[in-house]
Amino acid sequence: MSTGPGADSAPAPDTHNTPTGGDTPTDPEAPGRDPRKSRMFSSLQVRNYRLFFLGQVVSNIGTWMQRIAQDWLVLTLTASSAAVGITTALQFLPMLLFGLYGGVLVDRLRKRPTLLVTQSAMALTSLVLAALTLTGQVEVWHVYVAAFVTGLATVVDNPARQSFVAELVGPGQLQNAVSLNSANFQSARLVGPAVAGLLITGVGTGWAFLLNGLSFIAPLAGLMMMRARELHAVTPSPRGKGQLREGLRYVAGRPELVWPIVLVGFIGTFAFNFPVYLSAFAHDVFHGGAGTYSLFNTLMAVGSLAGALLAARRGTARLRLLILAALAFGGLEIVAAGAPTLWLFALLMIPIGLFAMTVNVTTNTSIQMATDPAVRGRVMALYMMVFLGGAPVGAPIVGWITDTYGARVGLAVGGAVAALAAAVIGGILARVGNLRLTVGWDRGHPQVRFVPRERQQELTAVA
Protein backbone atom coordinates (compact mmCIF):
# COMPACT_ATOMS: atom_id res chain seq x y z
CA MET A 1 0.00 0.00 0.00
CA SER A 2 1.86 3.04 -1.25
CA THR A 3 2.18 6.03 1.01
CA GLY A 4 4.84 7.72 -1.03
CA PRO A 5 6.76 7.41 -4.29
CA GLY A 6 9.72 5.17 -4.78
CA ALA A 7 9.31 2.90 -1.73
CA ASP A 8 9.72 -0.83 -2.11
CA SER A 9 7.16 -3.32 -0.94
CA ALA A 10 8.09 -5.25 2.18
CA PRO A 11 8.53 -8.89 1.24
CA ALA A 12 6.26 -11.48 2.81
CA PRO A 13 8.22 -14.43 4.19
CA ASP A 14 7.35 -17.85 2.87
CA THR A 15 6.03 -19.72 5.87
CA HIS A 16 3.62 -21.97 4.06
CA ASN A 17 5.85 -24.98 4.41
CA THR A 18 6.39 -24.51 8.13
CA PRO A 19 2.96 -23.81 9.59
CA THR A 20 4.01 -24.19 13.19
CA GLY A 21 6.99 -21.96 12.87
CA GLY A 22 9.17 -24.83 14.11
CA ASP A 23 12.53 -23.55 15.21
CA THR A 24 12.74 -21.08 12.37
CA PRO A 25 12.18 -17.40 13.25
CA THR A 26 9.32 -15.71 11.45
CA ASP A 27 11.27 -12.54 10.81
CA PRO A 28 14.66 -12.06 9.16
CA GLU A 29 17.52 -10.90 11.31
CA ALA A 30 20.61 -8.94 10.40
CA PRO A 31 23.77 -11.00 9.76
CA GLY A 32 25.73 -11.73 12.88
CA ARG A 33 22.79 -11.20 15.23
CA ASP A 34 21.37 -13.89 17.43
CA PRO A 35 17.88 -14.40 15.91
CA ARG A 36 16.45 -15.25 19.33
CA LYS A 37 17.34 -11.89 20.84
CA SER A 38 16.72 -8.27 19.96
CA ARG A 39 17.50 -4.94 21.52
CA MET A 40 14.45 -4.09 23.58
CA PHE A 41 13.88 -0.65 22.01
CA SER A 42 15.58 -1.21 18.65
CA SER A 43 12.57 -0.22 16.51
CA LEU A 44 12.57 3.25 18.14
CA GLN A 45 15.69 3.97 16.10
CA VAL A 46 13.38 4.23 13.07
CA ARG A 47 12.29 7.88 12.91
CA ASN A 48 8.81 7.24 11.50
CA TYR A 49 8.04 4.59 14.08
CA ARG A 50 9.39 6.84 16.87
CA LEU A 51 6.90 9.56 15.84
CA PHE A 52 4.11 6.98 15.74
CA PHE A 53 5.08 5.55 19.15
CA LEU A 54 5.27 8.95 20.88
CA GLY A 55 1.90 9.94 19.47
CA GLN A 56 0.38 6.72 20.77
CA VAL A 57 1.85 7.32 24.25
CA VAL A 58 -0.28 10.45 24.60
CA SER A 59 -3.34 9.08 22.78
CA ASN A 60 -3.47 5.80 24.73
CA ILE A 61 -3.51 7.64 28.06
CA GLY A 62 -6.42 9.69 26.74
CA THR A 63 -8.20 6.55 25.56
CA TRP A 64 -8.04 4.95 29.01
CA MET A 65 -9.26 8.22 30.56
CA GLN A 66 -12.22 8.20 28.18
CA ARG A 67 -13.11 4.58 29.00
CA ILE A 68 -13.28 5.24 32.72
CA ALA A 69 -15.09 8.59 32.36
CA GLN A 70 -17.59 7.17 29.85
CA ASP A 71 -18.60 4.28 32.11
CA TRP A 72 -18.83 6.54 35.14
CA LEU A 73 -20.95 9.10 33.28
CA VAL A 74 -23.42 6.44 32.12
CA LEU A 75 -23.63 5.00 35.63
CA THR A 76 -24.24 8.50 37.01
CA LEU A 77 -26.95 9.28 34.46
CA THR A 78 -28.81 5.96 34.73
CA ALA A 79 -27.74 4.23 37.98
CA SER A 80 -27.76 1.08 35.84
CA SER A 81 -24.93 -1.40 35.27
CA ALA A 82 -26.91 -2.72 32.31
CA ALA A 83 -26.62 0.71 30.67
CA VAL A 84 -22.84 0.54 31.10
CA GLY A 85 -22.91 -2.86 29.39
CA ILE A 86 -24.96 -1.44 26.53
CA THR A 87 -22.37 1.31 26.05
CA THR A 88 -19.56 -1.24 25.86
CA ALA A 89 -21.55 -3.43 23.47
CA LEU A 90 -22.27 -0.48 21.17
CA GLN A 91 -18.55 0.34 21.01
CA PHE A 92 -17.58 -3.24 20.05
CA LEU A 93 -20.63 -4.05 17.90
CA PRO A 94 -19.36 -2.31 14.72
CA MET A 95 -16.18 -4.42 14.80
CA LEU A 96 -18.25 -7.59 15.09
CA LEU A 97 -20.60 -6.55 12.25
CA PHE A 98 -18.34 -4.69 9.85
CA GLY A 99 -14.78 -5.69 10.83
CA LEU A 100 -14.12 -7.69 7.66
CA TYR A 101 -15.36 -4.87 5.43
CA GLY A 102 -13.04 -2.51 7.30
CA GLY A 103 -10.15 -4.79 6.36
CA VAL A 104 -11.16 -4.64 2.68
CA LEU A 105 -11.13 -0.82 2.83
CA VAL A 106 -7.74 -0.78 4.53
CA ASP A 107 -6.22 -2.92 1.76
CA ARG A 108 -7.62 -0.52 -0.84
CA LEU A 109 -6.46 2.68 0.84
CA ARG A 110 -3.15 4.29 1.72
CA LYS A 111 -2.77 3.79 5.43
CA ARG A 112 -1.33 7.10 6.59
CA PRO A 113 -4.12 9.28 5.10
CA THR A 114 -6.66 6.71 6.35
CA LEU A 115 -5.33 7.04 9.90
CA LEU A 116 -5.46 10.82 9.67
CA VAL A 117 -9.20 10.55 8.92
CA THR A 118 -10.06 7.91 11.56
CA GLN A 119 -8.04 9.58 14.32
CA SER A 120 -9.66 12.94 13.50
CA ALA A 121 -13.12 11.36 13.64
CA MET A 122 -12.46 9.89 17.10
CA ALA A 123 -11.04 13.21 18.31
CA LEU A 124 -14.12 15.09 17.09
CA THR A 125 -16.43 12.58 18.79
CA SER A 126 -14.66 13.07 22.14
CA LEU A 127 -14.75 16.87 21.81
CA VAL A 128 -18.50 16.87 21.05
CA LEU A 129 -19.15 14.65 24.07
CA ALA A 130 -16.96 16.96 26.18
CA ALA A 131 -18.96 20.01 25.07
CA LEU A 132 -22.28 18.32 25.88
CA THR A 133 -21.05 17.21 29.30
CA LEU A 134 -19.38 20.48 30.30
CA THR A 135 -22.51 22.48 29.35
CA GLY A 136 -24.79 20.11 31.28
CA GLN A 137 -26.73 19.05 28.17
CA VAL A 138 -25.52 15.44 27.99
CA GLU A 139 -28.02 12.56 28.01
CA VAL A 140 -27.35 8.86 27.99
CA TRP A 141 -28.29 8.51 24.32
CA HIS A 142 -25.53 10.98 23.48
CA VAL A 143 -23.03 8.62 25.08
CA TYR A 144 -24.53 5.66 23.21
CA VAL A 145 -24.14 7.48 19.88
CA ALA A 146 -20.59 8.56 20.72
CA ALA A 147 -19.64 4.98 21.63
CA PHE A 148 -21.12 3.63 18.39
CA VAL A 149 -19.41 6.28 16.23
CA THR A 150 -16.10 5.53 17.94
CA GLY A 151 -16.68 1.85 17.21
CA LEU A 152 -17.34 2.61 13.53
CA ALA A 153 -14.07 4.55 13.29
CA THR A 154 -12.27 1.67 15.02
CA VAL A 155 -13.47 -0.74 12.31
CA VAL A 156 -11.05 0.95 9.91
CA ASP A 157 -8.58 2.48 12.37
CA ASN A 158 -7.64 -0.77 14.12
CA PRO A 159 -6.55 -2.86 11.10
CA ALA A 160 -4.99 0.23 9.53
CA ARG A 161 -2.84 0.87 12.63
CA GLN A 162 -1.96 -2.82 12.99
CA SER A 163 -0.80 -3.18 9.40
CA PHE A 164 0.80 0.29 9.24
CA VAL A 165 3.39 -0.83 11.79
CA ALA A 166 4.90 -3.15 9.15
CA GLU A 167 5.19 -0.20 6.76
CA LEU A 168 6.93 1.86 9.43
CA VAL A 169 9.66 -0.60 10.42
CA GLY A 170 9.76 -3.40 7.84
CA PRO A 171 9.66 -7.14 8.57
CA GLY A 172 12.97 -7.29 10.46
CA GLN A 173 11.74 -5.06 13.30
CA LEU A 174 8.08 -6.03 13.29
CA GLN A 175 8.14 -8.23 16.41
CA ASN A 176 9.91 -5.51 18.38
CA ALA A 177 7.55 -2.76 17.17
CA VAL A 178 4.37 -4.76 17.89
CA SER A 179 5.70 -5.59 21.36
CA LEU A 180 6.52 -1.96 22.11
CA ASN A 181 3.03 -0.96 20.96
CA SER A 182 1.60 -3.38 23.51
CA ALA A 183 3.94 -2.07 26.21
CA ASN A 184 2.82 1.44 25.30
CA PHE A 185 -0.84 0.49 25.70
CA GLN A 186 -0.26 -1.29 29.01
CA SER A 187 1.73 1.65 30.38
CA ALA A 188 -1.21 3.90 29.55
CA ARG A 189 -3.46 1.40 31.34
CA LEU A 190 -1.51 2.16 34.52
CA VAL A 191 -1.64 5.95 34.09
CA GLY A 192 -4.91 6.76 32.29
CA PRO A 193 -7.44 5.40 34.84
CA ALA A 194 -5.60 7.12 37.70
CA VAL A 195 -5.67 10.48 35.88
CA ALA A 196 -9.33 9.93 34.99
CA GLY A 197 -10.17 9.26 38.64
CA LEU A 198 -8.52 12.52 39.70
CA LEU A 199 -10.32 14.49 36.99
CA ILE A 200 -13.73 12.95 37.70
CA THR A 201 -13.54 13.61 41.43
CA GLY A 202 -11.86 17.00 41.02
CA VAL A 203 -13.48 18.76 38.06
CA GLY A 204 -15.92 16.32 36.43
CA THR A 205 -16.10 13.78 33.57
CA GLY A 206 -16.34 16.43 30.86
CA TRP A 207 -12.71 17.41 31.33
CA ALA A 208 -11.60 13.81 30.81
CA PHE A 209 -13.44 13.78 27.46
CA LEU A 210 -11.89 17.13 26.54
CA LEU A 211 -8.35 15.99 27.31
CA ASN A 212 -8.87 12.78 25.36
CA GLY A 213 -10.04 14.77 22.34
CA LEU A 214 -6.99 17.02 22.59
CA SER A 215 -4.69 14.01 23.04
CA PHE A 216 -5.29 13.07 19.40
CA ILE A 217 -3.20 16.09 18.39
CA ALA A 218 -0.07 14.03 19.21
CA PRO A 219 -0.70 11.07 16.82
CA LEU A 220 -2.05 13.38 14.12
CA ALA A 221 1.08 15.53 14.32
CA GLY A 222 3.27 12.42 14.25
CA LEU A 223 1.54 11.11 11.12
CA MET A 224 1.98 14.44 9.33
CA MET A 225 5.67 14.68 10.27
CA MET A 226 6.58 11.23 8.88
CA ARG A 227 8.87 10.91 5.86
CA ALA A 228 6.94 9.06 3.14
CA ARG A 229 10.11 7.99 1.31
CA GLU A 230 11.23 6.00 4.38
CA LEU A 231 8.07 3.88 4.59
CA HIS A 232 8.09 0.22 3.53
CA ALA A 233 5.09 1.02 1.40
CA VAL A 234 2.68 -1.52 -0.10
CA THR A 235 0.72 -0.90 -3.29
CA PRO A 236 -3.02 -0.59 -2.55
CA SER A 237 -5.23 -3.39 -3.83
CA PRO A 238 -7.42 -2.25 -6.73
CA ARG A 239 -11.14 -2.09 -6.15
CA GLY A 240 -12.83 -5.30 -7.28
CA LYS A 241 -15.57 -7.80 -6.57
CA GLY A 242 -15.12 -10.68 -4.17
CA GLN A 243 -12.27 -9.14 -2.15
CA LEU A 244 -13.87 -10.09 1.15
CA ARG A 245 -14.21 -13.72 0.05
CA GLU A 246 -10.67 -13.57 -1.29
CA GLY A 247 -9.37 -12.59 2.15
CA LEU A 248 -11.31 -15.37 3.85
CA ARG A 249 -10.04 -17.95 1.33
CA TYR A 250 -6.51 -16.68 1.84
CA VAL A 251 -6.72 -17.34 5.58
CA ALA A 252 -8.58 -20.64 5.24
CA GLY A 253 -5.85 -22.06 3.02
CA ARG A 254 -3.02 -21.32 5.45
CA PRO A 255 -2.87 -23.29 8.72
CA GLU A 256 -0.27 -20.87 10.13
CA LEU A 257 -2.98 -18.16 9.97
CA VAL A 258 -6.29 -19.91 10.59
CA TRP A 259 -5.33 -21.91 13.70
CA PRO A 260 -3.78 -19.03 15.69
CA ILE A 261 -6.91 -16.98 14.92
CA VAL A 262 -9.11 -19.87 16.11
CA LEU A 263 -7.00 -20.12 19.27
CA VAL A 264 -7.30 -16.44 20.19
CA GLY A 265 -11.02 -16.72 19.39
CA PHE A 266 -11.46 -19.30 22.14
CA ILE A 267 -9.20 -17.41 24.54
CA GLY A 268 -10.78 -14.02 23.85
CA THR A 269 -14.31 -15.40 24.20
CA PHE A 270 -13.92 -17.46 27.37
CA ALA A 271 -10.66 -16.63 29.16
CA PHE A 272 -10.12 -12.88 28.61
CA ASN A 273 -13.33 -11.73 30.33
CA PHE A 274 -11.41 -10.24 33.24
CA PRO A 275 -14.02 -7.60 34.19
CA VAL A 276 -16.44 -10.47 34.94
CA TYR A 277 -13.94 -12.67 36.76
CA LEU A 278 -12.02 -10.06 38.73
CA SER A 279 -15.06 -8.09 39.88
CA ALA A 280 -16.67 -11.34 41.09
CA PHE A 281 -13.53 -12.37 42.99
CA ALA A 282 -13.18 -8.91 44.53
CA HIS A 283 -16.80 -8.71 45.65
CA ASP A 284 -18.03 -12.27 46.20
CA VAL A 285 -14.93 -14.30 47.07
CA PHE A 286 -12.74 -11.87 49.01
CA HIS A 287 -15.54 -9.44 50.07
CA GLY A 288 -13.60 -6.37 48.99
CA GLY A 289 -14.58 -3.22 47.18
CA ALA A 290 -13.45 -1.07 44.27
CA GLY A 291 -9.95 -0.86 45.76
CA THR A 292 -9.54 -4.65 45.61
CA TYR A 293 -10.80 -4.75 42.04
CA SER A 294 -8.40 -1.94 41.11
CA LEU A 295 -5.51 -3.83 42.75
CA PHE A 296 -6.20 -6.92 40.63
CA ASN A 297 -6.28 -4.86 37.42
CA THR A 298 -3.14 -2.93 38.32
CA LEU A 299 -1.11 -6.08 39.02
CA MET A 300 -2.36 -7.65 35.78
CA ALA A 301 -1.29 -4.49 33.91
CA VAL A 302 2.17 -4.79 35.50
CA GLY A 303 2.44 -8.37 34.24
CA SER A 304 1.17 -7.37 30.80
CA LEU A 305 3.75 -4.59 30.57
CA ALA A 306 6.51 -7.04 31.52
CA GLY A 307 5.23 -9.51 28.91
CA ALA A 308 5.27 -6.87 26.20
CA LEU A 309 8.82 -5.78 27.05
CA LEU A 310 10.05 -9.39 27.10
CA ALA A 311 8.45 -9.92 23.69
CA ALA A 312 10.31 -6.86 22.43
CA ARG A 313 13.53 -8.37 23.77
CA ARG A 314 13.00 -11.74 22.05
CA GLY A 315 12.93 -10.36 18.53
CA THR A 316 11.18 -13.42 17.01
CA ALA A 317 7.62 -14.76 16.96
CA ARG A 318 7.19 -18.52 16.85
CA LEU A 319 3.93 -20.43 16.98
CA ARG A 320 5.59 -22.85 19.40
CA LEU A 321 5.83 -19.98 21.87
CA LEU A 322 2.18 -19.09 21.26
CA ILE A 323 1.01 -22.61 22.12
CA LEU A 324 3.17 -22.86 25.25
CA ALA A 325 2.14 -19.37 26.44
CA ALA A 326 -1.55 -20.20 25.93
CA LEU A 327 -1.12 -23.44 27.90
CA ALA A 328 0.62 -21.56 30.74
CA PHE A 329 -2.04 -18.82 30.69
CA GLY A 330 -4.90 -21.33 30.95
CA GLY A 331 -3.12 -23.34 33.64
CA LEU A 332 -2.47 -20.23 35.74
CA GLU A 333 -6.13 -19.24 35.55
CA ILE A 334 -7.07 -22.69 36.88
CA VAL A 335 -4.52 -22.32 39.70
CA ALA A 336 -5.79 -18.81 40.51
CA ALA A 337 -9.36 -20.12 40.68
CA GLY A 338 -8.36 -22.18 43.69
CA ALA A 339 -6.21 -19.53 45.41
CA PRO A 340 -7.16 -19.58 49.12
CA THR A 341 -6.10 -16.03 50.00
CA LEU A 342 -6.54 -12.60 48.47
CA TRP A 343 -2.81 -11.89 48.26
CA LEU A 344 -1.97 -15.15 46.54
CA PHE A 345 -4.73 -14.50 44.00
CA ALA A 346 -3.49 -10.92 43.52
CA LEU A 347 0.12 -12.02 42.97
CA LEU A 348 -1.00 -14.59 40.39
CA MET A 349 -2.40 -11.69 38.32
CA ILE A 350 1.19 -10.73 37.39
CA PRO A 351 2.14 -13.97 35.57
CA ILE A 352 -1.38 -14.25 34.15
CA GLY A 353 -0.99 -10.77 32.64
CA LEU A 354 2.48 -11.67 31.37
CA PHE A 355 1.35 -14.82 29.52
CA ALA A 356 -1.83 -13.13 28.27
CA MET A 357 0.30 -10.43 26.66
CA THR A 358 2.71 -13.04 25.26
CA VAL A 359 -0.26 -14.75 23.56
CA ASN A 360 -1.48 -11.40 22.21
CA VAL A 361 1.86 -10.16 20.85
CA THR A 362 3.00 -13.51 19.44
CA THR A 363 -0.28 -14.03 17.59
CA ASN A 364 -0.28 -10.50 16.19
CA THR A 365 3.31 -10.68 14.97
CA SER A 366 3.23 -14.21 13.58
CA ILE A 367 0.06 -13.46 11.62
CA GLN A 368 1.47 -10.25 10.16
CA MET A 369 4.75 -11.90 9.20
CA ALA A 370 3.01 -14.84 7.50
CA THR A 371 0.63 -12.62 5.50
CA ASP A 372 1.10 -11.16 2.04
CA PRO A 373 1.11 -7.34 2.42
CA ALA A 374 -1.60 -7.06 -0.25
CA VAL A 375 -4.17 -8.75 2.02
CA ARG A 376 -2.74 -7.80 5.42
CA GLY A 377 -5.57 -5.37 6.19
CA ARG A 378 -8.23 -8.04 5.65
CA VAL A 379 -6.31 -10.64 7.65
CA MET A 380 -5.71 -8.27 10.57
CA ALA A 381 -9.35 -7.19 10.49
CA LEU A 382 -10.41 -10.83 10.77
CA TYR A 383 -7.97 -11.35 13.64
CA MET A 384 -9.21 -8.27 15.52
CA MET A 385 -12.86 -9.14 14.83
CA VAL A 386 -12.39 -12.60 16.34
CA PHE A 387 -10.25 -11.37 19.22
CA LEU A 388 -12.27 -8.29 20.21
CA GLY A 389 -15.66 -9.56 19.05
CA GLY A 390 -15.41 -12.70 21.16
CA ALA A 391 -15.59 -10.84 24.46
CA PRO A 392 -19.15 -9.45 24.04
CA VAL A 393 -20.29 -12.91 22.94
CA GLY A 394 -18.55 -14.78 25.75
CA ALA A 395 -19.24 -12.32 28.56
CA PRO A 396 -22.90 -13.35 29.05
CA ILE A 397 -21.88 -17.04 29.00
CA VAL A 398 -19.09 -16.76 31.54
CA GLY A 399 -21.22 -14.31 33.53
CA TRP A 400 -24.01 -16.89 33.79
CA ILE A 401 -21.51 -19.60 34.83
CA THR A 402 -20.01 -17.27 37.44
CA ASP A 403 -23.41 -16.24 38.83
CA THR A 404 -24.73 -19.82 38.90
CA TYR A 405 -21.72 -21.79 40.10
CA GLY A 406 -19.46 -19.13 41.63
CA ALA A 407 -16.44 -17.08 40.62
CA ARG A 408 -13.97 -19.92 41.17
CA VAL A 409 -15.80 -22.24 38.80
CA GLY A 410 -16.19 -19.48 36.22
CA LEU A 411 -12.46 -18.66 36.16
CA ALA A 412 -11.49 -22.35 36.16
CA VAL A 413 -13.77 -23.00 33.17
CA GLY A 414 -12.22 -20.07 31.27
CA GLY A 415 -8.71 -21.35 32.01
CA ALA A 416 -9.63 -24.91 31.03
CA VAL A 417 -11.04 -23.74 27.68
CA ALA A 418 -7.83 -21.80 26.97
CA ALA A 419 -5.55 -24.71 27.92
CA LEU A 420 -7.61 -27.29 26.03
CA ALA A 421 -7.79 -25.13 22.90
CA ALA A 422 -4.01 -24.58 23.04
CA ALA A 423 -3.33 -28.32 23.41
CA VAL A 424 -5.66 -29.33 20.57
CA ILE A 425 -4.50 -26.61 18.16
CA GLY A 426 -0.86 -27.26 19.02
CA GLY A 427 -1.40 -30.89 18.08
CA ILE A 428 -3.12 -29.91 14.83
CA LEU A 429 -0.29 -27.53 13.85
CA ALA A 430 2.33 -30.15 14.66
CA ARG A 431 0.51 -32.73 12.55
CA VAL A 432 0.10 -30.33 9.62
CA GLY A 433 3.79 -29.44 9.79
CA ASN A 434 4.85 -33.11 10.19
CA LEU A 435 6.39 -32.20 13.54
CA ARG A 436 6.72 -34.03 16.83
CA LEU A 437 6.87 -32.56 20.35
CA THR A 438 10.11 -33.29 22.19
CA VAL A 439 10.94 -32.64 25.83
CA GLY A 440 14.55 -32.70 27.01
CA TRP A 441 17.36 -30.85 28.71
CA ASP A 442 19.76 -28.30 27.27
CA ARG A 443 22.68 -27.16 29.46
CA GLY A 444 20.80 -28.10 32.58
CA HIS A 445 17.52 -26.42 31.57
CA PRO A 446 14.29 -28.10 30.43
CA GLN A 447 13.54 -27.57 26.75
CA VAL A 448 10.26 -28.11 24.92
CA ARG A 449 10.25 -27.87 21.15
CA PHE A 450 8.79 -29.17 17.90
CA VAL A 451 11.16 -30.99 15.54
CA PRO A 452 10.54 -32.69 12.18
CA ARG A 453 9.60 -36.36 12.53
CA GLU A 454 12.65 -37.39 10.51
CA ARG A 455 14.89 -35.53 12.93
CA GLN A 456 13.08 -37.13 15.88
CA GLN A 457 13.89 -40.56 14.43
CA GLU A 458 17.55 -39.60 14.12
CA LEU A 459 17.65 -38.39 17.74
CA THR A 460 16.02 -41.63 18.90
CA ALA A 461 18.51 -43.71 16.93
CA VAL A 462 21.47 -41.82 18.43
CA ALA A 463 20.05 -42.21 21.95
Side-chain angles (χ1 to χ4, degrees), residues 10 49-50 61 79 150 225 232 235 256 283 301 328 335 359-360 375 383 391 408 438:
Y49 178 73
R50 189 164 61 247
I61 292 174
T150 300
M225 292 169 62
H232 299 253
T235 303
E256 73 275 16
H283 185 268
V335 171
V359 169
N360 190 351
V375 295
Y383 162 66
R408 294 189 185 276
T438 66

Side-chain angles (χ1 to χ4, degrees), residues 147-446:
F148 188 75
V149 171
T150 300
L152 285 175
T154 303
V155 166
V156 177
D157 183 81
N158 210 314
R161 276 190 298 110
Q162 296 284 340
S163 51
F164 189 49
V165 173
E167 295 193 8
L168 291 171
V169 300
Q173 295 278 13
L174 184 58
Q175 160 86 6
N176 183 264
V178 170
S179 303
L180 289 182
N181 281 353
S182 299
N184 186 333
F185 188 75
Q186 294 303 324
S187 299
R189 183 180 176 184
L190 294 172
V191 177
V195 176
L198 293 174
L199 287 172
I200 292 169
T201 56
V203 293
T205 55
W207 291 96
F209 298 139
L210 177 61
L211 290 181
N212 179 49
L214 295 177
S215 74
F216 284 95
I217 293 174
L220 290 170
L223 288 166
M224 289 186 289
M225 292 169 62
M226 289 177 183
R227 296 169 181 164
R229 65 181 182 276
E230 295 178 7
L231 294 172
H232 299 253
V234 179
T235 303
S237 299
R239 183 183 181 89
K241 294 182 179 180
Q243 289 181 319
L244 178 57
R245 292 192 299 273
E246 178 190 356
L248 293 174
R249 284 196 301 268
Y250 181 88
V251 173
R254 289 162 174 78
E256 73 275 16
L257 296 179
V258 68
W259 289 114
I261 291 175
V262 170
L263 176 58
V264 298
F266 276 105
I267 293 176
T269 301
F270 296 102
F272 267 27
N273 283 286
F274 295 117
V276 175
Y277 296 137
L278 300 187
S279 60
F281 266 86
H283 185 268
D284 300 332
V285 177
F286 298 118
H287 308 291
T292 304
Y293 178 57
S294 176
L295 173 66
F296 295 160
N297 280 280
T298 299
L299 291 175
M300 182 169 288
V302 170
S304 298
L305 177 59
L309 292 175
L310 287 173
R313 178 79 174 105
R314 275 192 300 273
T316 60
R318 295 169 175 159
L319 294 185
R320 176 187 66 185
L321 175 63
L322 170 61
I323 297 301
L324 294 176
L327 283 168
F329 169 72
L332 283 167
E333 282 201 339
I334 295 172
V335 171
T341 65
L342 184 151
W343 286 108
L344 178 58
F345 181 85
L347 289 175
L348 283 170
M349 292 302 101
I350 297 176
I352 285 175
L354 188 152
F355 283 108
M357 183 52 59
T358 301
V359 169
N360 190 351
V361 172
T362 305
T363 307
N364 188 314
T365 310
S366 63
I367 288 174
Q368 291 211 47
M369 292 303 302
T371 301
D372 189 316
V375 295
R376 186 173 283 144
R378 279 165 281 181
V379 174
M380 294 309 296
L382 176 62
Y383 162 66
M384 296 309 299
M385 184 187 75
V386 171
F387 185 53
L388 296 179
V393 174
I397 299 174
V398 300
W400 174 81
I401 294 173
T402 300
D403 287 342
T404 305
Y405 300 103
R408 294 189 185 276
V409 173
L411 182 58
V413 168
V417 169
L420 181 61
V424 171
I425 291 173
I428 292 172
L429 287 171
R431 186 175 182 84
V432 169
N434 196 31
L435 300 175
R436 184 187 295 272
L437 181 69
T438 66
V439 181
W441 291 84
D442 182 21
R443 299 176 184 176
H445 299 285

